[in-house]
Each structure stands twice: as structure tokens, then as C-alpha cells.
Amino acid sequence: VFIAYYFFENKIIIQIIGIIAVIGHIFPIFYNFKGGKGVATALGAVLGFDLILGIICLLTWLITAFLFRYSALSAIVTFNFLPIYTWLSYQDLTLTCIYFVISFVVIYKHKTNIKNLFKGTEAKIGKSN
């Protein structure tokens, strides 16, 4: 995304490249469409597109992780706020919708973690179950 930012002027194309990178990391063909690192890839895509927006997302993740010690919860909170942060930064419905799609995919992939959080069985950062 960072490299695409310098090759393309159209912000939408850059964001589509970001979506493709996130989906490619979450559903890699070489691993039977079972992957991970979607949160890291999505945060990297945001950082590559807008450094300030990316830092705000990283801070959201870090603060939530520090307060609650759940990586999954930190990701869920961060990606729930990403479309809001995008709207407040750009007031652009298209960019906000693109980040909403990225957020939806990341949060959807955490559905098991959400269940575990409600059951109290989700592993905390630094501790194993």
C-alpha cells in the first residue's frame, strides 16, 4: 500500500490494493484459505495509506491491549473504530466504506475469539489457557 501510494494518484485504487492484501493474508490460497495476520496486514495497509490514521489505530490497539490484555479484543475495538476514524479524517463515504469492508473482514475472522471472550476462555496476552 505504501508503494502503491507513490504509483497511483487515485486513493480508491490504493485502498483496493489494501483490501486485496488483507484478504490475501486472511485467506491465502497456499494454505487452503486458512491464514492469519489479517490484523497486522490491515494495520500496515492503514499505515501505508495514512500515517496519522495508522498511528491512531495502533494507539487504539495498544491502549486496549494494555487495559484488558486481550489481543483479539484490541483488534475488535480498533477495527470497530477504524471506519469512524476514517470518516472523521476524510469525510469521504467511499474511503470510509472501504475501511468498513476491511474492518468487517477482520472482525468476522475473530468470531471464535468473540465467543471465547464472552465465555471467559480467551487467552490473555502473555498467558496461556
Side-chain angles (χ1 to χ4, degrees):
V1 173
F2 181 73
I3 293 169
Y5 191 79
Y6 291 99
F7 283 104
F8 300 101
E9 290 182 30
N10 188 330
K11 293 177 184 178
I12 304 306
I13 291 173
I14 299 166
Q15 293 307 322
I16 290 171
I17 291 168
I19 288 175
I20 291 168
V22 172
I23 291 172
H25 277 79
I26 293 175
F27 305 106
I29 25 182
F30 299 110
Y31 296 109
N32 297 320
F33 300 100
K34 295 178 184 170
K37 307 300 178 232
V39 172
T41 305
L43 285 173
V46 175
L47 280 164
F49 179 72
D50 182 332
L51 186 62
I52 301 299
L53 186 61
I55 289 171
I56 292 169
C57 287
L58 282 173
L59 286 173
T60 302
W61 191 97
L62 289 169
I63 290 167
T64 307
F66 177 78
L67 292 175
F68 299 101
R69 301 282 188 223
Y70 290 107
S71 178
L73 179 63
S74 299
I76 293 162
V77 168
T78 299
F79 285 93
N80 268 296
F81 277 105
L82 177 58
I84 297 166
Y85 294 155
T86 305
W87 179 255
L88 293 173
S89 297
Y90 291 97
Q91 288 83 39
D92 184 313
L93 186 60
T94 305
L95 287 177
T96 302
C97 287
I98 288 172
Y99 275 130
F100 176 81
V101 170
I102 290 174
S103 296
F104 178 82
V105 171
V106 169
I107 293 167
Y108 176 78
K109 286 303 288 181
H110 281 85
K111 64 183 183 256
T112 303
N113 302 92
I114 294 168
K115 290 176 187 175
N116 291 340
L117 284 164
F118 280 113
K119 288 191 274 183
T121 57
E122 182 71 14
K124 287 194 171 198
I125 295 172
K127 295 181 181 180
S128 60
N129 270 348

